[in-house]
Amino acid sequence: MKRLVNDLSHELKNEPTALGRFNLLKGDTNNFIFDFVKARDNAKAGKDGAVVLATAGAFPLAVGNGVAMGVGFIGPCGLNVPHWHPRASELLIAVGGNLTFGTFQEDGATFITGTLGDKQGTTTLFPAGSLHFQQNLECTPAQFYAAFNSEDPGRIDSAPGFFTWLPADIDNAALGDIGVQEVKDIAAKIPVNVAFGVQSCLDKCGLKRAGQWTPAAVDKAKRDFDEFLKQGPISPKDFAGLPRVPSYA
Protein backbone atom coordinates (compact mmCIF):
# COMPACT_ATOMS: atom_id res chain seq x y z
CA MET A 1 0.00 0.00 0.00
CA LYS A 2 1.29 3.45 -0.93
CA ARG A 3 2.17 5.57 2.08
CA LEU A 4 0.32 8.86 2.52
CA VAL A 5 3.31 10.64 4.06
CA ASN A 6 7.10 10.58 3.68
CA ASP A 7 9.44 8.09 5.35
CA LEU A 8 10.78 10.61 7.87
CA SER A 9 7.31 11.05 9.38
CA HIS A 10 7.05 7.27 9.76
CA GLU A 11 10.47 7.07 11.42
CA LEU A 12 9.52 9.84 13.84
CA LYS A 13 6.20 8.16 14.65
CA ASN A 14 8.01 4.95 15.55
CA GLU A 15 10.53 6.68 17.83
CA PRO A 16 9.24 6.68 21.47
CA THR A 17 11.43 9.48 22.87
CA ALA A 18 11.53 13.20 22.14
CA LEU A 19 15.34 13.15 22.01
CA GLY A 20 15.25 10.29 19.54
CA ARG A 21 12.85 12.22 17.30
CA PHE A 22 15.05 15.31 17.52
CA ASN A 23 18.11 13.32 16.46
CA LEU A 24 16.22 11.88 13.49
CA LEU A 25 15.78 15.43 12.19
CA LYS A 26 19.60 15.50 11.89
CA GLY A 27 19.89 19.21 12.69
CA ASP A 28 18.73 20.03 9.15
CA THR A 29 17.18 23.50 9.19
CA ASN A 30 14.83 22.48 6.38
CA ASN A 31 13.21 19.97 8.76
CA PHE A 32 12.39 22.80 11.19
CA ILE A 33 10.70 25.18 8.73
CA PHE A 34 7.43 24.79 6.85
CA ASP A 35 6.93 27.07 3.84
CA PHE A 36 3.19 27.79 3.51
CA VAL A 37 3.59 29.83 0.31
CA LYS A 38 5.56 27.09 -1.44
CA ALA A 39 3.06 24.49 -0.24
CA ARG A 40 0.20 26.67 -1.54
CA ASP A 41 1.80 26.89 -4.97
CA ASN A 42 2.10 23.08 -5.10
CA ALA A 43 -1.33 22.37 -3.65
CA LYS A 44 -4.45 21.25 -5.49
CA ALA A 45 -6.24 24.57 -5.18
CA GLY A 46 -9.81 25.47 -5.99
CA LYS A 47 -11.04 28.29 -8.20
CA ASP A 48 -10.63 30.95 -5.52
CA GLY A 49 -7.74 30.03 -3.26
CA ALA A 50 -6.23 27.28 -1.14
CA VAL A 51 -5.98 26.13 2.47
CA VAL A 52 -2.58 24.70 3.42
CA LEU A 53 -2.03 22.57 6.54
CA ALA A 54 1.26 21.95 8.35
CA THR A 55 0.32 18.60 9.89
CA ALA A 56 2.34 15.52 10.85
CA GLY A 57 1.95 14.25 7.31
CA ALA A 58 3.26 17.39 5.62
CA PHE A 59 5.59 18.72 8.35
CA PRO A 60 7.44 15.88 10.14
CA LEU A 61 8.52 18.15 13.01
CA ALA A 62 4.88 18.16 14.18
CA VAL A 63 5.03 14.40 14.95
CA GLY A 64 4.76 13.85 18.69
CA ASN A 65 4.04 17.51 19.48
CA GLY A 66 0.26 17.44 19.32
CA VAL A 67 -0.18 20.65 17.30
CA ALA A 68 -0.67 21.71 13.68
CA MET A 69 -1.16 24.96 11.81
CA GLY A 70 -3.16 25.99 8.77
CA VAL A 71 -3.10 29.06 6.53
CA GLY A 72 -5.99 30.00 4.28
CA PHE A 73 -5.37 31.99 1.11
CA ILE A 74 -8.88 33.16 0.19
CA GLY A 75 -9.56 35.08 -3.02
CA PRO A 76 -12.29 37.69 -3.56
CA CYS A 77 -15.67 36.13 -2.64
CA GLY A 78 -13.83 32.90 -1.76
CA LEU A 79 -15.48 30.26 0.41
CA ASN A 80 -13.60 27.78 2.58
CA VAL A 81 -16.42 25.29 2.14
CA PRO A 82 -18.37 23.81 5.10
CA HIS A 83 -16.26 21.12 6.74
CA TRP A 84 -15.24 19.67 10.09
CA HIS A 85 -12.09 18.30 11.73
CA PRO A 86 -12.76 14.95 13.42
CA ARG A 87 -9.70 14.97 15.69
CA ALA A 88 -9.05 18.61 16.63
CA SER A 89 -10.50 21.89 17.79
CA GLU A 90 -9.49 24.91 15.71
CA LEU A 91 -8.59 28.44 16.79
CA LEU A 92 -8.83 30.79 13.79
CA ILE A 93 -7.82 34.43 13.32
CA ALA A 94 -8.13 36.64 10.23
CA VAL A 95 -4.82 38.31 9.36
CA GLY A 96 -5.71 39.90 6.02
CA GLY A 97 -9.15 41.22 5.10
CA ASN A 98 -12.45 40.30 6.75
CA LEU A 99 -13.97 36.84 6.98
CA THR A 100 -17.53 35.87 7.78
CA PHE A 101 -17.70 32.54 9.60
CA GLY A 102 -20.49 30.16 10.42
CA THR A 103 -20.57 27.10 12.67
CA PHE A 104 -23.01 24.43 13.75
CA GLN A 105 -21.93 22.04 16.48
CA GLU A 106 -24.56 19.27 16.58
CA ASP A 107 -28.25 18.47 16.23
CA GLY A 108 -30.21 20.77 18.53
CA ALA A 109 -27.53 23.48 18.60
CA THR A 110 -27.98 27.01 17.25
CA PHE A 111 -26.23 28.11 14.07
CA ILE A 112 -23.68 30.81 14.93
CA THR A 113 -22.26 33.36 12.50
CA GLY A 114 -20.04 36.42 12.82
CA THR A 115 -17.24 38.40 11.18
CA LEU A 116 -13.52 38.34 11.94
CA GLY A 117 -11.50 41.40 10.93
CA ASP A 118 -7.74 41.63 10.63
CA LYS A 119 -7.80 45.18 12.05
CA GLN A 120 -10.01 44.15 14.99
CA GLY A 121 -7.72 41.46 16.42
CA THR A 122 -10.63 39.01 16.68
CA THR A 123 -10.58 35.23 16.74
CA THR A 124 -13.01 32.34 17.13
CA LEU A 125 -12.86 28.66 18.04
CA PHE A 126 -14.46 25.68 16.31
CA PRO A 127 -14.74 22.64 18.63
CA ALA A 128 -13.64 19.28 17.28
CA GLY A 129 -16.28 17.77 15.03
CA SER A 130 -18.23 21.03 14.57
CA LEU A 131 -19.34 21.99 11.07
CA HIS A 132 -17.94 25.39 10.02
CA PHE A 133 -16.96 27.61 7.09
CA GLN A 134 -15.29 30.93 6.30
CA GLN A 135 -16.50 33.28 3.56
CA ASN A 136 -14.70 36.31 2.16
CA LEU A 137 -17.43 38.81 1.21
CA GLU A 138 -15.01 41.43 -0.11
CA CYS A 139 -13.60 42.04 -3.61
CA THR A 140 -10.02 41.77 -2.32
CA PRO A 141 -8.13 38.68 -1.04
CA ALA A 142 -8.24 37.62 2.60
CA GLN A 143 -6.08 35.35 4.70
CA PHE A 144 -6.39 33.45 7.98
CA TYR A 145 -4.22 31.45 10.38
CA ALA A 146 -5.64 28.42 12.14
CA ALA A 147 -4.14 26.47 15.06
CA PHE A 148 -5.12 22.87 15.90
CA ASN A 149 -4.64 20.88 19.10
CA SER A 150 -3.70 17.77 17.14
CA GLU A 151 -0.83 17.04 14.77
CA ASP A 152 -3.34 15.13 12.62
CA PRO A 153 -6.64 17.08 12.76
CA GLY A 154 -8.16 15.54 9.64
CA ARG A 155 -10.77 17.26 7.48
CA ILE A 156 -14.11 16.22 6.00
CA ASP A 157 -15.79 18.55 3.50
CA SER A 158 -19.54 18.19 4.02
CA ALA A 159 -20.74 18.35 0.40
CA PRO A 160 -18.40 15.75 -1.15
CA GLY A 161 -18.56 13.79 2.10
CA PHE A 162 -22.29 13.36 1.61
CA PHE A 163 -22.80 13.39 -2.15
CA THR A 164 -19.58 11.75 -3.36
CA TRP A 165 -18.24 9.39 -0.72
CA LEU A 166 -21.51 7.86 0.46
CA PRO A 167 -23.46 5.48 -1.83
CA ALA A 168 -25.87 7.44 -4.04
CA ASP A 169 -28.84 5.24 -3.05
CA ILE A 170 -28.20 6.00 0.64
CA ASP A 171 -28.04 9.74 -0.11
CA ASN A 172 -31.23 9.43 -2.13
CA ALA A 173 -33.06 7.76 0.75
CA ALA A 174 -31.76 10.33 3.26
CA LEU A 175 -33.04 13.15 1.01
CA GLY A 176 -36.54 11.73 0.71
CA ASP A 177 -36.12 9.94 -2.64
CA ILE A 178 -35.13 12.85 -4.88
CA GLY A 179 -33.63 10.33 -7.31
CA VAL A 180 -30.30 8.50 -7.49
CA GLN A 181 -29.39 10.21 -10.76
CA GLU A 182 -30.18 13.60 -9.22
CA VAL A 183 -27.74 12.79 -6.39
CA LYS A 184 -25.05 11.92 -8.94
CA ASP A 185 -25.76 15.13 -10.87
CA ILE A 186 -25.25 17.18 -7.71
CA ALA A 187 -22.02 15.31 -6.89
CA ALA A 188 -20.64 16.14 -10.35
CA LYS A 189 -21.09 19.88 -9.72
CA ILE A 190 -19.37 20.11 -6.33
CA PRO A 191 -16.32 22.43 -6.63
CA VAL A 192 -12.85 21.92 -5.18
CA ASN A 193 -12.05 24.03 -2.12
CA VAL A 194 -11.53 27.02 -2.04
CA ALA A 195 -14.72 27.67 -4.03
CA PHE A 196 -16.50 30.81 -5.20
CA GLY A 197 -18.95 31.86 -2.49
CA VAL A 198 -22.40 33.41 -2.37
CA GLN A 199 -23.91 34.89 -5.52
CA SER A 200 -24.48 38.35 -4.02
CA CYS A 201 -20.70 38.77 -3.58
CA LEU A 202 -19.95 37.55 -7.10
CA ASP A 203 -22.43 40.05 -8.52
CA LYS A 204 -20.94 42.86 -6.43
CA CYS A 205 -17.39 42.06 -7.53
CA GLY A 206 -18.17 41.21 -11.16
CA LEU A 207 -17.08 37.58 -10.81
CA LYS A 208 -18.60 34.52 -12.45
CA ARG A 209 -18.49 30.80 -11.77
CA ALA A 210 -17.37 28.59 -14.63
CA GLY A 211 -20.37 27.69 -16.76
CA GLN A 212 -22.59 30.24 -15.04
CA TRP A 213 -24.79 32.52 -17.11
CA THR A 214 -24.22 36.25 -16.73
CA PRO A 215 -27.24 38.50 -16.07
CA ALA A 216 -26.86 39.87 -19.61
CA ALA A 217 -26.98 36.35 -21.07
CA VAL A 218 -30.09 35.55 -19.04
CA ASP A 219 -31.82 38.73 -20.30
CA LYS A 220 -30.92 37.86 -23.91
CA ALA A 221 -32.28 34.34 -23.51
CA LYS A 222 -35.55 35.76 -22.17
CA ARG A 223 -35.81 38.17 -25.10
CA ASP A 224 -35.13 35.38 -27.59
CA PHE A 225 -37.80 33.21 -25.99
CA ASP A 226 -40.31 36.08 -26.04
CA GLU A 227 -39.62 36.57 -29.77
CA PHE A 228 -40.15 32.86 -30.31
CA LEU A 229 -43.55 33.00 -28.59
CA LYS A 230 -44.61 35.95 -30.74
CA GLN A 231 -44.45 33.69 -33.80
CA GLY A 232 -47.80 32.21 -32.82
CA PRO A 233 -49.08 28.95 -31.35
CA ILE A 234 -46.50 26.20 -30.93
CA SER A 235 -46.99 23.15 -33.15
CA PRO A 236 -45.23 19.75 -33.30
CA LYS A 237 -43.20 20.88 -36.32
CA ASP A 238 -41.44 23.46 -34.12
CA PHE A 239 -39.75 20.54 -32.36
CA ALA A 240 -38.77 18.57 -35.46
CA GLY A 241 -35.23 17.26 -35.30
CA LEU A 242 -34.94 17.53 -31.52
CA PRO A 243 -33.96 14.33 -29.63
CA ARG A 244 -36.86 12.44 -28.12
CA VAL A 245 -37.14 12.42 -24.32
CA PRO A 246 -37.19 8.84 -23.00
CA SER A 247 -40.28 7.73 -21.12
CA TYR A 248 -39.88 6.38 -17.61
CA ALA A 249 -43.52 5.44 -17.14
Side-chain angles (χ1 to χ4, degrees):
M1 180 181 295
K2 183 179 179 181
R3 288 182 167 181
L4 296 178
V5 298
N6 62 42
D7 288 338
L8 178 56
S9 291
H10 282 274
E11 292 180 44
L12 291 166
K13 196 71 175 178
N14 292 329
E15 172 53 52
T17 68
L19 179 59
R21 290 191 293 272
F22 180 83
N23 289 335
L24 283 171
L25 295 171
K26 304 182 187 306
D28 185 345
T29 303
N30 291 326
N31 289 330
F32 290 81
I33 297 174
F34 186 86
D35 190 331
F36 281 98
V37 174
K38 182 178 179 180
R40 176 201 62 186
D41 294 341
N42 295 328
K44 181 182 179 182
K47 296 292 185 181
D48 207 17
V51 176
V52 180
L53 299 178
T55 64
F59 187 32
L61 183 61
V63 173
N65 286 296
V67 295
M69 176 70 73
V71 174
F73 302 91
I74 314 298
C77 299
L79 171 67
N80 186 18
V81 300
H83 63 281
W84 68 91
H85 305 284
R87 294 180 292 276
S89 296
E90 173 183 359
L91 190 66
L92 183 143
I93 182 170
V95 294
N98 299 312
L99 288 170
T100 296
F101 71 89
T103 182
F104 181 78
Q105 294 194 21
E106 60 180 304
D107 290 351
T110 301
F111 173 72
I112 302 297
T113 186
T115 299
L116 301 177
D118 64 322
K119 296 180 180 179
Q120 301 167 2
T122 49
T123 187
T124 192
L125 185 144
F126 305 114
S130 62
L131 186 65
H132 57 279
F133 66 84
Q134 295 90 37
Q135 163 80 73
N136 178 11
L137 293 176
E138 305 299 331
C139 302
T140 53
Q143 191 173 345
F144 68 76
Y145 294 163
F148 301 92
N149 63 341
S150 168
E151 63 205 53
D152 182 26
R155 174 177 171 132
I156 301 175
D157 289 347
S158 59
F162 184 84
F163 287 100
T164 303
W165 302 329
L166 292 178
D169 57 345
I170 296 298
D171 292 339
N172 175 53
L175 293 170
D177 194 25
I178 67 170
V180 171
Q181 186 56 52
E182 283 72 12
V183 170
K184 294 180 179 179
D185 290 343
I186 293 173
K189 295 178 180 179
I190 295 173
V192 175
N193 195 53
V194 171
F196 283 121
V198 296
Q199 188 61 44
S200 58
C201 185
L202 297 181
D203 292 341
K204 177 181 71 174
C205 300
L207 300 173
K208 183 171 72 73
R209 302 177 214 274
Q212 178 175 295
W213 284 34
T214 64
V218 172
D219 290 340
K220 182 178 184 303
K222 290 179 178 179
R223 291 195 300 270
D224 291 344
F225 186 67
D226 288 341
E227 290 298 321
F228 173 75
L229 292 180
K230 291 177 182 178
Q231 297 176 14
I234 299 173
S235 65
K237 68 178 182 179
D238 293 315
F239 300 95
L242 295 177
R244 294 180 63 84
V245 178
S247 173
Y248 297 97

